[in-house]
Amino acid sequence: MTLSNKPSSAFHKGEVQVQKRVGMHEEMAYWGAKAIRPFFIEQHRLFFSELPFAVVSATDSRGKPWVTLLAGKQGFMHFPDDKTLHFATQPVPGDALAEAFVEGADIGLIGIELSNRRRNRATGSIANNDGQSITFKVSQSFGNCPQYISERVWEYRETNPNTMSATCHHRLTDSLQKWIASADTLFIGSGYKEESEHRSNGMDASHRGGSPGFVKVLNKRQLVLPDYSGNNFFNTIGNLILNPLVGLLFLDFEKGNMLQITGRAEVDWDSDKIQQHPGAHRLLNIEIEEIVELTAVLPLRWSLPNSIQGGLRVTKKTIESESVTSFELAANDLTNSGKLPSFYAGQHLPIKLPVFEGKPSIERTYSLSNSPMDDHYRISVKREAQGIGSGYLHDHIEVGDVIEARKPNGDFTLKYATKPIVFISAGIGITPLLSMLYSLIHTQKSWPVYFFYGARHGNETPLLNEVRKCQQQHPSLRLDVVFSQPNAQGLLGVDYNRQGRIDAKLVQQHLPDLNADYYLCGPTGFLNGLTTELEELGVKRSAIYYESF
């Protein structure tokens, strides 16, 4: 892959420093310039406007960072234009940020839909606060990958002022320690301002998740937060190495409570303690300074989706490539004729894995890679270097084992085709697109389909043989295989069609007309950059659907 060496103006010096340290700066400089925009794209505006809450970070009058949640009926967030977001609400009484949303204040923002694992982030500042509503001006907006999001469904609940309360602490009580020790989700706020008017200046809000207990409580004033793999922008870590002030928000999803913490964070890059947190690349050691506990303040409650009764039994395990293995899954409980809940092509399967004996199972989600017409499910899992879930599946799950799972979910699904379809995959992003291709063979076999399959080289081409077989069954399917780093064993014109990376120009060269529906799956930076390039060529944003990993 040939990438620009020009530093991206999308990142400040702290973010660049961390990217260089982990060897990702060149790639992030390229994709960051395309993926991080100074406005809200249409899809993100629609996304926020349908949410019942948003997570916001800011600093109080003393400069201490906090994180809060702004909630309201769907539609309480709306967009006068693509650079302005209007909140028809205010923080709840007693909130640590109750007085923080003043004109000019820097704000970090994340919208997240826990039920389908989508999230989008933005940074900017307050343009106006009239005491009833808040107007936010964006400086940066970008999508985020769905990793480590525990799926939950929400419902509205009326708040009762008589049961609402706010309590300040300087140390964690026993009950607060138990709350944190059982949490699988938190939100983190950080910020940094360069002397120049750099567009990455200001506050940032981000999501962190893991199995229950992934945050370690050392004592009443100290927490340890593992830092897992993410989008490689390193917004949070980049802020913290220059400004160690940090804010945390924990939610009690069942009771509508919030726990706000402000303190200082120190990054542990390479100590032996990291090994105590499987899957972590580094640790954040957090010293707590102040705490605000808010009880029964949220008009929302969240619950976990129902599990598939009896779990799923592994009926087949297939090695697809050097790093990818597929698992076929059937109903283990045969009281309902062994019939599995149906799914739409493109959806994912939430599963739980008992990785650590005596500890809660970890939750992971994997796209279904088989046809919705099958009588079984199939997930095709790439082994990640420090992936706890993927490593456990590859090394410990065998035919006959039973896996706890919930019904397939997700809104990255195949729409009924009225225009030609373009599939673009990068790496393991092939999985939901292959399921969509199978669906098309059953429903619209003669429909024109253009499939751009991206991989590093011939040893890393999971499910490519199945795509080729589908090509034989689908007379209107055109397949282009693109290797970014072909090895000596790969033959150009036989194993792959071209060398390089998939970009909008390549797509344009091989389509008779850009008027098509586009389905993309791959890393977040790749997807955000590619969607920007397609839009620049005139493709409507409403015609682009994507899922990141």
Side-chain angles (χ1 to χ4, degrees):
M1 182 181 294
T2 302
L3 300 172
S4 169
N5 290 317
K6 183 180 178 181
S8 169
S9 61
F11 303 111
H12 64 60
K13 62 183 181 182
E15 295 160 333
V16 170
Q17 181 179 328
V18 181
Q19 291 167 7
K20 288 182 176 179
R21 179 172 186 140
V22 301
M24 294 297 299
H25 174 55
E26 184 181 9
E27 185 172 350
M28 291 304 103
Y30 179 87
W31 289 118
K34 297 175 178 294
I36 300 177
R37 309 171 178 90
F39 59 88
F40 289 101
I41 62 174
E42 180 183 355
Q43 188 180 60
H44 290 183
R45 296 198 298 273
L46 178 62
F47 173 78
F48 276 100
S49 66
E50 294 179 341
L51 292 177
F53 74 95
V55 177
V56 184
S57 68
T59 57
D60 62 18
S61 59
R62 302 163 298 168
K64 290 180 176 289
W66 299 85
V67 186
T68 191
L69 188 147
L70 298 178
K73 294 290 185 181
Q74 286 176 294
F76 86 101
M77 288 186 283
H78 71 272
F79 293 83
D81 54 60
D82 65 359
K83 295 185 178 180
T84 308
L85 173 56
H86 188 81
F87 297 92
T89 191
Q90 291 284 321
V92 298
D95 194 308
L97 293 176
E99 307 297 329
F101 298 112
V102 297
E103 184 176 344
D106 291 323
I107 298 296
L109 172 69
I110 182 167
I112 184 167
E113 177 52 90
L114 298 174
S115 65
N116 59 27
R117 302 168 58 247
R118 290 201 178 277
R119 56 182 172 180
N120 293 299
R121 283 161 71 180
T123 62
S125 60
I126 299 298
N128 184 58
N129 187 341
D130 62 8
Q132 300 295 319
S133 58
I134 302 167
T135 303
F136 168 84
K137 282 288 186 181
V138 68
S139 58
Q140 288 190 323
S141 174
F142 54 99
N144 253 188
C145 66
Q147 291 189 91
Y148 308 110
I149 297 178
S150 295
E151 293 188 32
R152 286 180 168 87
V153 293
W154 59 267
E155 63 176 323
Y156 286 113
R157 292 284 183 87
E158 291 294 330
T159 56
N160 183 351
N162 295 325
T163 61
M164 297 168 64
S165 65
T167 309
C168 297
H169 309 271
H170 289 279
R171 293 173 176 81
L172 294 170
T173 64
D174 289 345
S175 62
L176 295 182
Q177 290 184 56
K178 291 179 181 178
W179 181 350
I180 294 173
S182 63
D184 60 14
T185 301
L186 69 82
F187 300 95
I188 183 168
S190 60
Y192 174 72
K193 295 198 74 167
E194 290 189 348
E195 295 179 1
S196 63
E197 290 298 317
H198 199 283
R199 69 185 178 103
S200 66
N201 278 351
M203 292 297 295
D204 175 71
S206 186
H207 161 274
R208 293 290 189 273
S211 56
F214 78 105
V215 182
K216 302 302 179 185
V217 181
L218 297 185
N219 52 55
K220 296 181 179 181
R221 294 286 300 273
Q222 293 179 311
L223 304 175
V224 178
L225 172 61
D227 189 56
Y228 303 121
S229 60
N231 60 13
N232 293 319
F233 287 173
F234 294 106
N235 307 110
T236 300
I237 303 295
N239 286 336
L240 293 177
I241 65 170
L242 300 177
N243 176 16
L245 300 182
V246 68
L248 302 177
L249 173 67
F250 294 88
L251 301 179
D252 185 325
F253 292 103
E254 296 180 357
K255 299 179 180 178
N257 302 338
M258 293 197 295
L259 177 60
Q260 298 174 301
I261 294 174
T262 190
R264 292 176 174 269
E266 179 183 12
V267 182
D268 179 350
W269 295 99
D270 49 20
S271 80
D272 293 340
K273 294 180 180 179
I274 299 175
Q275 304 304 316
Q276 301 172 19
H277 303 263
H281 293 271
R282 58 201 69 82
L283 303 176
L284 294 181
N285 297 314
I286 297 171
E287 187 78 23
I288 296 173
E289 295 182 348
E290 295 180 38
I291 302 165
V292 174
E293 180 185 3
L294 298 163
T295 303
V297 295
L298 296 177
L300 297 166
R301 299 292 186 273
W302 291 263
S303 59
L304 296 172
N306 294 329
S307 295
I308 296 175
Q309 184 176 350
L312 300 174
R313 180 169 41 84
V314 179
T315 58
K316 189 176 182 180
K317 183 177 179 180
T318 305
I319 296 175
E320 306 287 0
S321 70
E322 286 185 347
S323 62
V324 176
T325 296
S326 289
F327 301 83
E328 290 189 12
L329 308 164
N332 187 52
D333 186 343
L334 302 181
T335 58
N336 190 29
S337 302
K339 187 176 181 180
L340 291 169
S342 61
F343 71 95
Y344 295 105
Q347 288 191 310
H348 57 260
L349 181 71
I351 64 174
K352 288 187 175 182
L353 300 170
V355 175
F356 306 110
E357 187 176 354
K359 294 185 178 181
S361 296
I362 66 169
E363 182 175 311
R364 293 293 185 266
T365 55
Y366 298 102
S367 295
L368 290 157
S369 61
N370 61 311
S371 170
M373 306 297 177
D374 291 341
D375 61 357
H376 62 273
Y377 297 150
R378 183 181 69 175
I379 56 174
S380 301
V381 181
K382 179 182 178 183
R383 180 196 289 272
E384 301 292 348
Q386 291 182 277
I388 305 172
S390 63
Y392 184 83
L393 282 165
H394 279 243
D395 297 336
H396 298 283
I397 296 298
E398 302 295 342
V399 172
D401 290 340
V402 176
I403 297 175
E404 184 180 353
R406 294 202 295 269
K407 295 179 180 179
N409 197 2
D411 59 3
F412 179 61
T413 56
L414 183 67
K415 321 302 178 189
Y416 186 80
T418 59
K419 295 183 289 187
I421 290 175
V422 180
F423 291 139
I424 303 176
S425 69
I428 196 60
I430 177 61
T431 50
L433 301 187
L434 178 57
S435 181
M436 292 181 183
L437 183 56
Y438 278 128
S439 183
L440 281 173
I441 290 175
H442 285 286
T443 60
Q444 293 177 279
K445 191 170 184 178
S446 62
W447 203 257
V449 179
Y450 301 85
F451 206 129
F452 296 88
Y453 178 106
R456 284 191 301 168
H457 48 68
N459 295 337
E460 287 295 342
T461 55
L463 306 172
L464 178 56
N465 287 337
E466 287 192 39
V467 178
R468 295 192 189 280
K469 290 179 181 178
C470 288
Q471 188 178 22
Q472 298 172 8
Q473 302 174 53
H474 196 298
S476 299
L477 171 63
R478 289 192 56 180
L479 174 64
D480 270 280
V481 179
V482 183
F483 286 176
S484 60
Q485 302 171 21
N487 53 25
Q489 290 75 37
L491 296 177
L492 181 63
V494 177
D495 300 302
Y496 65 104
N497 301 99
R498 63 198 82 257
Q499 178 180 353
R501 61 183 181 85
I502 300 174
D503 58 18
K505 289 184 178 179
L506 173 65
V507 174
Q508 185 182 36
Q509 290 171 2
H510 293 83
L511 292 185
D513 190 338
L514 288 175
N515 184 26
D517 284 327
Y518 297 79
Y519 294 85
L520 288 55
C521 191
T524 303
F526 166 76
L527 297 183
N528 287 340
L530 184 56
T531 55
T532 298
E533 292 175 348
L534 289 170
E535 287 180 276
E536 289 173 350
L537 291 178
V539 177
K540 292 182 178 180
R541 190 64 190 79
S542 58
I544 304 174
Y545 310 94
Y546 64 86
E547 179 86 293
S548 61
F549 61 81

